[in-house]
Amino acid sequence: MHRLIQRGLMFGNLIEVASPILVERYNRALKHLTGKTTDLTDFHIDVSGYSPEVGDALGDHLYLNQGGCNRQFILLTTDQKTAPLLNAKFSNSRDILRHFIEENEPQLFALTARDSVAGELVNSVFSVSDPVRLFDIRKVTVEADTTEGTLRDAEKLGALAERFKQDEDGWFDDVLIADMITLAKRTGDVTRNPVTLRHMAFDQEDFWTAHFGGVYFFRGVGHPAAITSGIKGDLGKLPIKYTFDFKDRNQIAKFFDYNDLVEPIVKARGIDASAILRQKMDFIVVDAAQNAGVDLTGATRRDIRRLARNHADHLPPEYHGLREMVDWAENEGKWPRISSDHPAYFYTLRATDTDQADLVNMLLAELAPKDIRQLFICHKEVFYRLYQGWTDTKKSFVADFLEREYQVDKAGARAALFGHDAPLEMPRVRRRASDDMIDRVGPWGAVRR
């Protein structure tokens, strides 16, 4: 993985912890949460405070996420809001932490100026040893305090101050006054500078989990379903009407359609659909070249497309399906009929403007894994896993491509893929009345009823 690390494509945007005072605060929080400490004098942390270097030193990369269910976190600075979340077990965890930091940024800035903030993302359950337990997860609540209990003491001081004001004999209660003075030394004047964090709870209707081989839960749609990248039979009987795995292509396509979760790329506004499809074709050629043992070192787009021309008969059906679609879009060629059982089908789709857009694009990326750019953007966990099995030449090509055409301008790359209105997140596009013709005669009509 060194190519990715060197190019900032893995462990990128982590926050460096190098000063003795921050290391000491981190150890205090780590001891508070786990009973452990580290002897490291410098390391890097993600948005949750997890450090791969500390994980290596402790021999436990789940030291802040035991059981993979209720993620603990350590905040040393509000700058952590820009960092990624490593070893994610649930797709919503990073967004929850980022929103928590943003919504409480002034308070957290003040608290972390003196101490670290430690906390936990508390799920409705404490164990997911059985797939059925995942359905008990309905809400995630954020619990946090400093290691010295500043927020707890501030709440207690506020109650004592209210009691002091309301009690006629408050001025004569030496014990009450002494307790207030003791607490105020730790919290400051809570009447002028309240030290509180907003109570934050997040619904968990639609999410992906890394447990049980990777499962997508769509419970907030009209036709709910669970979709696993493993074998659906291994999940047992689940309390949901439909359970699919990736072999159920037709059923997944209908699920998307019934819930209006996807649209063809060629319908999207604000993007160059032909350019996106051509790039997907290039990635498919790269994958085929790897399987054929072709050396891709230093290969350019021109080289990739020359390979495609010279070996067109040996390219997989995904390539030819996308080529026919580009021919229709650019040259008024014959409209290709690509039904849901065609290998190119999921390569032609993107999420519509729904609350589930991020999750849908994540699922589409895994259903169309040869598109390495979308896979890297939308589902890094699967990207890193697949990367380990690629040849050195493909690893080098992919790392160079992502550094050259994505890393230098992430917002621009996302805008090119998902539209001008979604520079930092998944697509937000509107449906158009002019799409009716494509709906009627296009390949997606194969799953419309």
Side-chain angles (χ1 to χ4, degrees):
M1 312 294 276
H2 68 279
R3 293 184 182 89
L4 300 179
I5 297 173
Q6 291 173 349
R7 292 165 173 80
L9 298 167
M10 187 175 188
F11 302 145
N13 295 328
L14 295 180
I15 304 299
E16 183 179 20
V17 180
S19 71
I21 189 169
L22 289 182
V23 172
E24 190 275 331
R25 288 177 185 173
Y26 187 88
N27 266 322
R28 197 160 62 227
L30 188 61
K31 181 75 172 179
H32 175 75
L33 291 175
T34 69
K36 304 174 183 178
T37 58
T38 177
D39 294 328
L40 297 178
T41 57
D42 62 273
F43 46 89
H44 298 78
I45 58 175
D46 69 2
V47 63
S48 73
Y50 160 76
S51 167
E53 297 103 321
V54 173
D56 282 337
L58 296 177
D60 179 12
H61 285 282
L62 291 177
Y63 68 92
L64 287 181
N65 197 19
Q66 294 299 326
C69 188
N70 294 274
R71 184 132 189 173
Q72 297 174 304
F73 59 89
I74 298 172
L75 298 180
L76 298 179
T77 169
T78 54
D79 290 342
Q80 286 174 237
K81 67 182 181 181
T82 64
L85 178 67
L86 305 180
N87 295 337
K89 295 299 182 183
F90 290 90
S91 58
N92 295 341
S93 296
R94 181 180 182 272
D95 283 341
I96 291 174
L97 283 167
R98 179 171 56 83
H99 284 306
F100 171 72
I101 296 172
E102 290 175 346
E103 290 295 321
N104 295 282
E105 192 156 2
Q107 296 88 340
L108 289 172
F109 182 83
L111 291 171
T112 55
R114 299 175 54 187
D115 194 3
S116 57
V117 173
E120 185 173 349
L121 304 184
V122 181
N123 273 317
S124 312
V125 299
F126 294 97
S127 170
V128 288
S129 57
D130 189 293
V132 174
R133 296 300 304 278
L134 291 167
F135 286 85
D136 294 330
I137 297 176
R138 292 289 179 179
K139 185 176 293 186
V140 174
T141 303
V142 184
E143 295 182 356
D145 200 346
T146 66
T147 56
E148 295 179 349
T150 303
L151 297 176
R152 181 186 65 247
D153 289 345
E155 183 178 1
K156 184 177 179 180
L157 178 56
L160 291 178
E162 190 65 25
R163 174 182 155 193
F164 176 81
K165 288 187 292 183
Q166 293 181 0
D167 192 339
E168 294 181 358
D169 297 324
W171 283 103
F172 306 104
D173 191 335
D174 293 338
V175 175
L176 174 61
I177 294 173
D179 288 344
M180 292 173 59
I181 292 173
T182 301
L183 290 172
K185 288 179 180 179
R186 296 199 295 264
T187 67
D189 187 348
V190 296
T191 60
R192 295 185 179 181
N193 302 294
V195 185
T196 59
L197 295 176
R198 290 183 59 186
H199 174 78
M200 302 192 73
F202 300 83
D203 291 333
Q204 290 280 86
E205 288 295 314
D206 309 294
F207 61 90
W208 167 87
T209 177
H211 295 285
F212 310 107
V215 189
Y216 300 80
F217 292 94
F218 293 89
R219 300 183 295 183
V221 296
H223 302 275
I227 301 173
T228 175
S229 52
I231 301 173
K232 62 184 178 183
D234 292 345
L235 299 178
K237 185 171 178 56
L238 301 179
I240 197 167
K241 187 172 183 179
Y242 298 108
T243 302
F244 307 128
D245 59 31
F246 285 6
K247 294 180 181 178
D248 300 318
R249 294 177 62 87
N250 293 335
Q251 291 89 335
I252 294 174
K254 290 179 180 179
F255 162 78
F256 281 150
D257 183 63
Y258 291 161
N259 291 293
D260 197 25
L261 293 175
V262 297
E263 68 176 359
I265 291 171
V266 293
K267 295 169 58 177
R269 179 179 298 175
I271 64 172
D272 186 344
S274 295
I276 292 175
L277 294 176
R278 284 189 176 279
Q279 186 67 80
K280 291 175 183 283
M281 291 164 60
D282 289 349
F283 294 143
I284 293 170
V285 173
V286 169
D287 185 76
Q290 174 194 231
N291 295 336
V294 176
D295 188 354
L296 298 172
T297 303
T300 64
R301 282 187 176 181
R302 181 175 297 178
D303 297 328
I304 297 300
R305 288 171 185 174
R306 184 175 66 251
L307 278 173
R309 288 193 298 272
N310 295 340
H311 303 280
D313 293 341
H314 303 287
L315 291 174
E318 296 98 318
Y319 179 89
H320 297 293
L322 296 181
R323 180 182 56 78
E324 292 174 4
M325 186 166 293
V326 170
D327 185 52
W328 171 84
E330 295 183 344
N331 305 314
E332 298 183 356
K334 181 181 178 182
W335 181 256
R337 292 199 59 82
I338 303 176
S339 60
S340 54
D341 57 357
H342 193 290
Y345 180 75
F346 292 113
Y347 287 88
T348 67
L349 302 177
R350 59 176 252 171
T352 53
D353 184 13
T354 67
D355 292 338
Q356 295 81 19
D358 291 356
L359 190 61
V360 170
N361 277 322
M362 192 176 187
L363 175 54
L364 286 173
E366 193 169 3
L367 288 166
K370 294 178 183 178
D371 183 354
I372 54 95
R373 178 170 57 179
Q374 179 160 330
L375 189 65
F376 179 78
I377 293 173
C378 300
H379 207 330
K380 285 185 174 59
E381 288 78 11
V382 172
F383 174 88
Y384 293 140
R385 173 165 53 82
L386 295 180
Y387 178 92
Q388 296 178 13
W390 294 341
T391 63
D392 282 343
T393 56
K394 182 174 180 179
K395 288 178 179 177
S396 180
F397 173 85
V398 170
D400 289 342
F401 170 85
L402 291 174
E403 180 185 33
R404 182 178 64 251
E405 300 202 25
Y406 173 70
Q407 191 74 349
V408 296
D409 184 13
K410 296 179 182 180
R414 289 171 182 265
L417 284 172
F418 303 125
H420 65 279
D421 54 345
L424 293 176
E425 54 187 8
M426 294 300 104
R428 290 291 182 268
V429 293
R430 300 183 183 279
R431 301 178 66 82
R432 308 193 301 270
S434 58
D435 295 332
D436 292 344
M437 178 62 71
I438 296 177
D439 280 341
R440 232 172 343 107
V441 302
W444 299 275
V447 298
R448 292 194 179 275
R449 297 291 182 268

